[in-house]
Amino acid sequence: MIDKKSPLPLYYQVEEHIKQTIQSEELQPGDALPSERELSENFQISRMTVRQAITNLVNQGFLFREKGRGTFVSNQKFEQNLQGLTSFTEDMKARQLVPGTKLLHFEIFPVEKDIQERLSLGEGELIYKIKRLRLANEEPIALETSYLPVKLIPGLTPDILEKSLYSYIEDELQLKIGHATQTVEAALISDEDSKQLQVKKGVPVLLIQRETFLENGTPLELVRSSYRADKYKFKIDIERK
Ligand code: 16G
């Protein structure tokens, strides 16, 4: 557990130990952490070292303090790095979570004016409208509404959409997804979406809009997703130029 002979600093070992108990769900969101005194006795280390480890975990968002009450485990959020153009399935697998999808709506219809321009389509060309509930370890995480040109992605079926759209596009159709532009903003969930995402009416969500293009520049998809703000956070690595 804590190895005093290890070159790793003691506060760091305590931090890692507490993180592990959170990740293994031994300690759950909302649970109180044992007191500094108990931890220092258990680990046979000074209270100052314990305090340093706890402060670091508070700063990293794993724990939060409440005046006069103690230290508690925060609601853990899924973290998505904003640097790569990844699919939901890839994101979940990278975190050792089991991706899941429930198809809520699947329709083919002639494109309307506003979407026609953004997908560079001719008048009346056919598009798919797809609405999917995305899950991680069976827990609803996001609602996703996508529009894609039928002529680019022939043969799309509900079966494929319950798995991975991107792997169908790349592995089956051998198309190369190139780049996307994406915006993230705060929003309140609509009443209909709150039922599907299984959250209370009007809770905050992260609204993400993505326009994805093939490598040759052809518009591939328009996607509007609502991610649960209590479960998801986006990470971006930034460099000072
Ligand atoms: C992600 C993408 C979405 C894409 C989907 C494909 C965001 C905001 N959106 O959810 O644009 O259609 O992945 O996922 O990241 P799939 O291959 O698992 O079906």
Side-chain angles (χ1 to χ4, degrees), residues 80 82 84-91 99 101 132 134 142 144 146 148 160-169 180 182-184 208-212 220-225 227 232 234:
Q80 185 189 333
L82 278 178
L85 174 44
T86 50
S87 72
F88 185 85
T89 303
E90 289 162 347
D91 287 339
T101 303
R132 298 190 290 171
R134 313 300 312 252
E144 220 171 55
S146 327
L148 300 103
I160 294 166
L161 291 166
E162 299 261 353
K163 296 184 201 110
S164 167
L165 172 65
Y166 278 13
S167 86
Y168 177 70
I169 293 172
Q182 189 165 295
T183 58
V184 182
I208 302 172
Q209 303 195 63
R210 184 187 276 192
E211 297 190 17
T212 314
L220 171 71
E221 63 168 3
L222 300 179
V223 188
R224 194 184 152 89
S225 321
Y227 278 78
Y232 221 81
F234 290 91

Side-chain angles (χ1 to χ4, degrees), residues 1-2 14 17-18 27 33-47 50-51 53-54 63 71:
M1 206 161 54
I2 302 296
V14 175
H17 175 78
I18 296 174
L27 273 177
L33 200 70
S35 69
E36 281 179 14
R37 187 179 47 79
E38 281 173 88
L39 288 170
S40 76
E41 280 169 11
N42 286 351
F43 296 134
Q44 298 286 302
I45 52 173
S46 77
R47 277 176 75 159
V50 170
R51 194 166 307 146
I54 293 177
L63 302 173
T71 308

Side-chain angles (χ1 to χ4, degrees), residues 97-165:
L97 297 168
V98 180
T101 303
K102 192 170 166 213
L103 185 61
L104 302 171
H105 184 95
F106 180 60
E107 187 186 357
I108 295 178
F109 64 93
V111 69
E112 284 152 16
K113 195 91 196 124
D114 54 329
I115 295 182
Q116 178 191 331
E117 277 162 23
R118 290 164 67 201
L119 286 177
S120 300
L121 293 174
E123 215 180 296
E125 285 199 85
L126 296 178
I127 53 165
Y128 297 107
K129 178 180 178 187
I130 299 154
K131 189 166 184 186
R132 298 190 290 171
L133 176 67
R134 313 300 312 252
L135 309 107
N137 286 353
E138 297 181 3
E139 185 174 19
I141 295 293
L143 274 174
E144 220 171 55
T145 305
S146 327
Y147 300 91
L148 300 103
V150 173
K151 67 176 182 193
L152 271 190
I153 324 289
L156 205 51
T157 62
D159 236 28
I160 294 166
L161 291 166
E162 299 261 353
K163 296 184 201 110
S164 167
L165 172 65

